[in-house]
Amino acid sequence: MPISISRCIAGVCKAAALCLIQPACAQSAAEPAPAVTVDPVVGEYSSVQMELVAGIRLNPDGTFEYGLTVGSLDERAQGRWKRVGSRIELVSDPRPVAPTISANRIDNAPGQPFALRLVAPNDIDIPGIDLRIDFDTGAPLKSYLVGGPWTLPANEKRRPRFITFSKRAYRIASGPLPLRAEAGTVTVFLLTPNDLGVIDLTGAYLEPDGNSLVLTRPDGTIIFERANPASDTRTTPDGEQDPQKEPLR
């Protein structure tokens, strides 16, 4: 016996009505939420070597935090990470602003030989900065600051023309600054810290090596070991937290 079109429509309408009044028909409400996939590299890593302690944290939201102490050098960074193939590429955000050095003032020092100072905004002398003096003739003179006024060697008779301050580890590079070396004066230069101690890791990257991550940057590499691997977890399909024990990929 043929089935009419009107009868089919009536059947569909009846089935739809039943679904509206019977919760069992709404299967989507009873289904578990889809699992959120967490990249296995997410977690904390550390590196401890002779006089060096460093750490990096890769967060699930795609951000990272980094810190390092070696000798008298302290540096830190933060930003975003993303996976590109097997690599984890880093981008500092915000991009740090390097320190700057500028001429500040000239103090009088009657009866004293010419001297120069490099000071912080609080007028405290800054030690450990390399300097280069270019003269009107001959080779430049290279020296460094010890944390107080610096004077020319007693036997130096040439006329200074420029001075350059630098400290690569702290991204200090003043470029040549005009210098007038007159007896009885102290030329004071000011270092504006800006983001002193914050490094730019844009372009650096991490590569998994077993349960380690190798950080590659222009000045070398650092191997980080996963810290507390048993505490790093990822979500399983049933919503449970499962310890991450597999090698990084």
Side-chain angles (χ1 to χ4, degrees):
M1 175 178 177
I3 301 175
S4 66
I5 294 177
S6 60
R7 186 176 176 183
C8 289
I9 295 175
V12 171
C13 291
K14 182 178 180 181
L18 288 174
C19 284
L20 289 175
I21 63 176
Q22 296 181 19
C25 291
Q27 297 180 358
S28 59
E31 292 177 352
V36 177
T37 302
V38 177
D39 194 303
V41 300
V42 167
E44 296 186 5
Y45 302 80
S46 62
S47 178
V48 180
Q49 304 174 25
M50 181 70 68
E51 297 186 352
L52 181 150
V53 177
I56 190 166
R57 178 189 294 121
L58 299 179
N59 300 312
D61 63 357
T63 62
F64 77 87
E65 299 162 80
Y66 162 87
L68 176 144
T69 296
V70 54
S72 61
L73 173 65
D74 295 318
E75 62 182 28
R76 63 190 187 280
Q78 65 178 27
R80 295 173 284 109
W81 66 271
K82 66 176 180 179
R83 181 182 285 277
V84 179
S86 63
R87 288 184 176 181
I88 307 301
E89 297 189 351
L90 306 178
V91 175
S92 286
D93 185 18
R95 298 290 289 270
V97 178
T100 60
I101 295 178
S102 58
N104 182 250
R105 66 180 190 271
I106 297 178
D107 295 337
N108 292 320
Q112 300 297 318
F114 165 77
L116 62 86
R117 298 172 62 202
L118 176 64
V119 301
N122 60 2
D123 208 44
I124 299 298
D125 288 271
I126 301 174
I129 306 299
D130 298 323
L131 62 85
R132 164 179 166 149
I133 306 287
D134 286 281
F135 299 90
D136 51 357
T137 61
L141 169 66
K142 297 181 179 180
S143 186
Y144 63 95
L145 301 172
V146 295
W150 182 93
T151 59
L152 290 164
N155 61 350
E156 182 57 74
K157 305 303 180 184
R158 295 176 296 169
R159 178 178 298 178
R161 298 293 301 277
F162 299 97
I163 182 170
T164 302
F165 298 96
S166 62
K167 192 69 173 179
R168 180 180 177 184
Y170 288 101
R171 298 189 302 142
I172 295 174
S174 70
L177 301 171
L179 180 64
R180 292 182 60 184
E182 297 182 356
T185 65
V186 179
T187 299
V188 182
F189 294 89
L190 174 66
L191 186 148
T192 302
N194 294 323
D195 293 322
L196 180 66
V198 181
I199 64 168
D200 190 350
L201 285 181
T202 301
Y205 59 88
L206 297 155
E207 289 184 299
D209 182 9
N211 280 317
S212 305
L213 287 178
V214 181
L215 172 65
T216 300
R217 43 191 282 195
D219 52 358
T221 61
I222 302 176
I223 299 176
F224 290 93
E225 303 292 340
R226 184 183 283 274
N228 300 323
S231 67
D232 291 318
T233 59
R234 61 178 178 177
T235 305
T236 59
D238 58 3
E240 297 293 331
Q241 295 295 313
D242 183 43
Q244 175 63 41
K245 298 181 180 179
E246 298 179 2
L248 304 174
R249 294 184 177 88

